[in-house]
Amino acid sequence: MSKPAIVIAIDGPAAAGKGTLARRLAAHLGYAYLDTGAIYRAVALKLLKQSIDADDTPAILAAARSLDPDELNSDELRTDRVGEMASQIAAIPALREALVEFQRTFAANPPGGAPGAVLDGRDIGTVICPKADRKLFVTASAEERAHRRYLELTGKGEQVSEDEVLADLKKRDERDQNRATAALRAAGDAYLLDTTNLGIDEAFAAALDYIAAR
Ligand code: CDP
């Protein structure tokens, strides 16, 4: 039997730098990478395109079950509108349940025969992979996260103000932290990485030190 895959769980609030860090760690370690937010966003995008409401659970579950992995790579996923819808539907327990198996299968059998997997999201270290080999909880101040998200969105041509982005982000944090199922919180055994005053290279170095030291 081959060795069990090494699993690295990275959780944290919106725009804390999880995605950039997770992608870079995966590339460095030769592991597969799964952006679990993209799954919620892909379901949200389907709903928006089909004019399905955020409270129509049967239609949402049908959309989730018909999701094609190729849909996780769409350029349309990273808009504010899709993020907001993703955060609304992510509070539906039946939807979360429907997406568990896909995420656990990815972690246990990383595509391409990779020796490990990096998953980023909100509940990877707490619910999806509570036995992950390494857990990071990546945060930054709301203002710094709003600034980064503002640059990301305007860089892609979206017309938004930094104040709007900050208000939206706080609303999303509040919803993610207070939902009844799989609320956003750091696992007790997670390494806390505050990137408020760290550039990408510094955050990467700190994460690698933690991964190597355990
Ligand atoms: O990039 P950003 O951090 O803004 O968001 P994302 O990671 O793409 O996730 C979009 C939304 O999906 C979040 O606001 C969460 O509500 C939800 N989500 C979740 O509930 N659980 C996950 N594992 C990943 C995302």
Side-chain angles (χ1 to χ4, degrees):
M1 253 188 63
S2 56
K3 281 208 279 188
I6 303 283
V7 178
I8 299 181
I10 305 188
D11 292 303
K18 305 181 297 289
T20 308
L21 181 64
R23 208 169 273 117
R24 202 156 152 185
L25 285 173
H28 180 82
L29 299 166
Y31 292 179
Y33 167 56
L34 181 63
D35 169 4
T36 66
I39 307 174
Y40 290 89
R41 284 175 179 265
V43 177
L45 181 61
K46 257 184 197 296
L47 305 179
L48 290 168
K49 285 192 168 165
Q50 296 171 21
S51 302
I52 294 169
D53 287 339
D55 57 3
D56 185 349
T57 303
I60 294 170
L61 292 180
R65 291 196 181 106
S66 69
L67 201 65
D68 185 308
D70 283 347
E71 292 175 73
L72 302 185
N73 302 317
S74 164
D75 287 342
E76 295 172 85
L77 297 186
R78 305 241 19 119
T79 65
D80 228 19
R81 187 163 157 257
V82 171
E84 169 63 23
M85 181 67 149
S87 158
Q88 284 185 41
I89 61 170
I92 302 173
L95 173 65
R96 304 198 70 84
E97 190 56 41
L99 299 175
V100 166
E101 197 179 304
F102 176 80
Q103 297 173 75
R104 287 196 180 142
T105 301
F106 186 101
N109 303 293
V118 181
L119 284 79
D120 82 39
R122 301 291 189 285
D123 61 342
I124 309 304
T126 50
V127 175
I128 303 295
C129 302
K131 294 193 172 146
D133 300 273
R134 302 284 187 276
K135 296 180 186 178
L136 289 108
F137 193 82
V138 184
T139 59
S141 71
E143 286 70 22
E144 176 60 27
R145 290 186 289 120
H147 183 62
R148 292 177 192 166
R149 182 54 47 96
Y150 168 77
L151 294 179
E152 181 192 344
L153 293 172
T154 52
K156 285 189 308 194
E158 272 205 58
Q159 304 277 331
V160 283
S161 74
E162 201 160 324
D163 285 348
E164 274 168 355
V165 175
L166 178 61
D168 183 66
L169 203 116
K170 285 185 170 166
K171 194 166 75 181
R172 214 130 72 71
D173 282 355
E174 162 88 18
R175 196 185 289 128
D176 289 350
Q177 283 160 3
N178 294 311
R179 67 184 175 214
T181 307
L184 170 67
R185 64 177 176 80
D189 53 350
Y191 169 70
L192 297 185
L193 181 57
D194 185 331
T195 69
T196 307
N197 297 307
L198 296 184
I200 292 172
D201 288 344
E202 292 163 312
F204 176 68
L208 259 192
D209 277 353
Y210 154 72
I211 288 169
R214 290 276 316 268

